[in-house]
Amino acid sequence: MKNNLGKLQIFSITNEDATKKKRIDVEYYQPFFEDVVKKVAGSKYELQKLEDITLLISNGRTPSKDMYDEDNDQAGSVPIIKAGTASGRFVDLEKLEYAKADFSSGKKAQKGDIFVLSAAHQASYVGKNVSLLDIEPEQDTYFVGELICIRANQEKVLPEYLFGFLSSEVGYLLLNREKRGQTSHIYPEDVKTIPLPIPSLKDQQKIVAILGKAYEEKKQKEAEIKMILAKIDSFVLGELGIEMPEGGAERVYSVWSDEITTRLDPFYFRPIFKELDKIFSTTKYNVQTLKELSVKITSGATPLSGGDAYTEKDSGVPFVRSGDINPDNVINFDDLLYVLPEIHNKKLKSSKLKKNDLLIAIVGATIGQVAVYENDREANINQALALVRLNENVDPEYAKEFLYSKIGQMELDRIKRPVARANINLDEIGALKIIYPPKDKQIEMVGQIRKIREKARTLRQEAESVIVEAQKQTAEMIFA
């Protein structure tokens, strides 16, 4: 069988091993994992089990659909940390969703908590996302069942040190080893016995200082990236002669009954959205809907509830999900799932991707993300993505940048449905309007935007290399 690095390994285990570990899944006993454990045991520092240095190791509670606050307006509701909220190195409290107040019987999060993704269709994802809650939430905040919360006993270990270890390559492999099931899970009971080296608090502080300096440098570079990417929006709107309307989140306004045809949600009728209609009606350039500009609009599907449809990269067909669109609005092929060819050809044939297809996230936390499929390899998409195959009038890259501009995002924001899991249907995607100049100008604009994105991409790589170097340095301190 192949291990996590794709290397073929042949090995055997005894009944005694299986009885002692209470595990009968073969992957758990790979020599590859045993080598990782030996590396940890070789540290000059004392080894302790995770449960011996923590106050809490627990899943949270996931609200039922009817418990979500549909308006997400924070009135009479409680904030929830979901998997998407804890998908980076630090928990992003700006991505919180809200549940009704009676959900508050769940577990509360607090500053210093570490969150680990505990369930995924792809085994390599389990344990990969480790996030630290580095600030105290302003109000009682809860977390979902798809996350394991690990709370350090600060008399024994600094949260930042524990986070640094668990988010390292060694930490990831130790967590990933504990995965179980067809749809991979890790459980609190299993991770409690993970061994890790615990230096003195003084030595932990030295390690944390190195990591902290690296994270601060990364944050500074990320702030610079935001400034660079903001130039794209200004460029697109400037080239099209668009001045965006000003307006806040109006809470009191009236709507005539004859305006209400297909939508009843008040957000849809905010006065600022009416200003969009003026922009589309007064522009000097062409305006058409995506339906008018496309030869195909469809969405995908998840092949099966379990993992029977998935296979290895070398023998499968790429399966693109909304979370595979990275911060540069391109598909991250490193983390794709792969489906069996027969599933691709029979059950998912209506959602086959082709090069230059436009993808729009239409469900959940990533709603409004836009990308172009730039690969020659045929692929599929899941139900959280809309596929738009454009005609010759619009360059796909131009359409992506328009939809990702302020005016495009306002359009998408307007039509998303404020239900338990926000969504946009395909008819609404087809009704989105695109302002487009002649093709040669579109291509010229795309060329300028690519230069801006390349600067941001280079800076992002530099930011990641800072973290990698810091992790390498601290690993040498721990395992020397």
Side-chain angles (χ1 to χ4, degrees):
M1 67 179 300
K2 292 183 178 180
N3 64 27
N4 285 51
L5 298 182
K7 296 178 181 178
L8 186 65
Q9 293 195 321
I10 300 173
F11 57 94
S12 62
I13 62 172
T14 67
N15 288 336
E16 184 180 356
D17 291 331
T19 302
K20 182 179 178 180
K21 298 288 187 179
K22 297 181 180 179
R23 300 284 297 249
I24 59 172
D25 43 321
V26 178
E27 285 192 8
Y28 183 85
Y29 298 96
Q30 294 180 56
F32 168 74
F33 284 130
E34 292 298 332
D35 291 342
V36 175
V37 174
K38 288 177 183 178
K39 180 176 181 178
V40 173
S43 171
K44 64 183 179 182
Y45 298 114
E46 178 187 2
L47 284 188
Q48 294 197 43
K49 294 178 182 178
L50 187 60
E51 65 179 338
D52 294 332
I53 57 165
T54 54
L55 301 174
L56 176 71
I57 302 177
S58 174
N59 289 112
R61 177 187 169 204
T62 300
S64 60
K65 289 184 178 181
D66 61 346
M67 292 183 74
Y68 277 95
D69 178 4
E70 293 185 0
D71 295 328
N72 217 39
D73 62 1
Q74 307 178 30
S77 57
V78 294
I80 307 168
I81 296 172
K82 299 181 68 175
T85 321
S87 59
R89 286 192 173 93
F90 298 97
V91 175
D92 189 349
L93 295 181
E94 293 183 1
K95 291 183 178 179
L96 292 174
E97 293 191 32
Y98 291 81
K100 296 172 184 177
D102 59 359
F103 175 72
S104 58
S105 60
K107 292 183 173 65
K108 297 179 185 178
Q110 63 184 48
K111 181 180 179 181
D113 282 352
I114 298 162
F115 294 95
V116 179
L117 180 66
S118 64
H121 282 295
Q122 188 171 0
S124 61
Y125 270 61
V126 174
K128 187 171 185 178
N129 284 339
V130 179
S131 296
L132 175 69
L133 182 54
D134 60 337
I135 58 176
E136 192 68 47
E138 294 182 358
Q139 65 184 103
D140 289 348
T141 300
Y142 303 84
F143 53 96
V144 296
E146 293 77 24
L147 294 172
I148 293 178
C149 175
I150 300 174
R151 183 170 299 158
N153 180 343
Q154 298 193 37
E155 294 181 359
K156 298 181 178 181
V157 63
L158 300 175
E160 296 83 0
Y161 171 80
L162 185 54
F163 162 68
F165 182 86
L166 292 175
S167 60
S168 70
E169 182 181 2
V170 170
Y172 160 66
L173 292 171
L174 290 173
L175 288 166
N176 187 259
R177 183 191 191 188
E178 301 298 332
K179 63 186 179 293
R180 294 176 183 260
Q182 193 174 52
T183 300
S184 296
H185 285 76
I186 52 176
Y187 298 94
E189 286 302 314
D190 292 329
V191 302
K192 285 180 179 180
T193 58
I194 286 177
L196 63 163
I198 303 299
S200 67
L201 290 175
K202 184 177 180 180
D203 285 343
Q204 288 181 43
Q205 288 170 347
K206 292 177 181 178
I207 293 169
V208 166
I210 294 170
L211 292 172
K213 182 180 179 182
Y215 286 128
E216 188 57 38
E217 186 175 345
K218 182 176 183 288
K219 284 181 180 180
Q220 291 175 2
K221 289 183 180 295
E222 287 174 340
E224 190 175 345
I225 290 168
K226 285 184 178 181
M227 292 177 63
I228 291 172
L229 293 178
K231 294 178 181 178
I232 294 177
D233 200 65
S234 299
F235 174 73
V236 171
L237 298 178
E239 288 293 303
L240 297 177
I242 295 173
E243 291 186 12
M244 291 301 296
E246 295 182 1
E250 304 91 343
R251 300 189 66 86
V252 179
Y253 49 91
S254 60
V255 179
W256 292 101
S257 59
D258 58 359
E259 295 181 68
I260 302 173
T261 54
T262 59
R263 297 286 291 254
L264 297 175
D265 42 313
F267 182 85
Y268 182 84
F269 297 97
R270 281 176 54 195
I272 193 171
F273 289 136
K274 293 182 179 180
E275 298 298 318
L276 289 179
D277 298 330
K278 294 180 182 178
I279 292 173
F280 287 117
S281 63
T282 58
T283 179
K284 64 180 180 180
Y285 293 116
N286 298 309
V287 179
Q288 285 187 292
T289 65
L290 277 181
K291 183 177 181 180
E292 293 168 329
L293 290 168
S294 66
V295 296
K296 182 177 184 178
I297 298 179
T298 188
S299 62
T302 298
L304 290 173
S305 58
D308 292 343
Y310 302 107
T311 185
E312 300 292 333
K313 178 178 181 180
D314 296 339
S315 58
V317 178
F319 185 66
V320 182
R321 299 162 297 169
S322 57
D324 295 320
I325 300 176
N326 71 17
D328 293 314
N329 288 91
V330 296
I331 305 299
N332 187 355
F333 275 83
D334 293 337
D335 292 329
L336 290 186
L337 288 175
Y338 289 81
V339 295
L340 293 166
E342 56 267 32
I343 297 291
H344 166 73
N345 291 319
K346 294 178 182 178
K347 297 186 178 182
L348 302 177
K349 59 184 179 181
S350 65
S351 58
K352 289 182 180 180
L353 276 176
K354 292 183 179 180
K355 186 174 183 179
N356 292 324
D357 280 346
L358 187 69
L359 300 178
I360 305 172
I362 56 174
V363 178
T366 58
I367 199 166
Q369 287 279 84
V370 189
V372 174
Y373 185 69
E374 297 179 326
N375 199 283
D376 288 315
R377 189 175 180 183
E378 202 170 58
N380 292 112
I381 56 172
N382 73 348
Q383 72 275 18
L385 287 169
L387 179 162
V388 181
R389 191 163 296 156
L390 296 163
N391 62 30
E392 68 281 357
N393 290 325
V394 177
D395 180 85
E397 283 287 333
Y398 171 81
K400 178 193 81 172
E401 298 297 350
F402 180 85
L403 289 173
Y404 212 65
S405 70
K406 286 181 181 177
I407 188 170
Q409 289 295 294
M410 278 186 70
E411 279 195 279
L412 285 160
D413 194 41
R414 181 186 191 184
I415 61 176
K416 69 181 180 185
R417 296 178 180 273
V419 291
R421 197 177 185 205
N423 64 82
I424 301 171
N425 66 41
L426 294 183
D427 288 337
E428 291 162 338
I429 288 293
L432 290 171
K433 294 179 180 178
I434 303 289
I435 298 174
Y436 63 99
K439 198 71 171 286
D440 56 348
K441 184 172 178 64
Q442 293 177 42
I443 294 171
E444 179 187 339
M445 289 174 65
V446 167
Q448 293 296 320
I449 292 169
R450 281 178 177 165
K451 291 178 182 179
I452 298 173
R453 288 202 180 278
E454 186 57 37
K455 289 181 181 179
R457 191 174 296 114
T458 300
L459 201 58
R460 186 171 284 111
Q461 290 170 348
E462 291 176 4
E464 287 301 320
S465 66
V466 168
I467 301 298
V468 170
E469 185 58 36
Q471 288 177 330
K472 180 181 178 181
Q473 185 179 350
T474 54
E476 289 173 353
M477 295 172 65
I478 296 170
F479 300 116

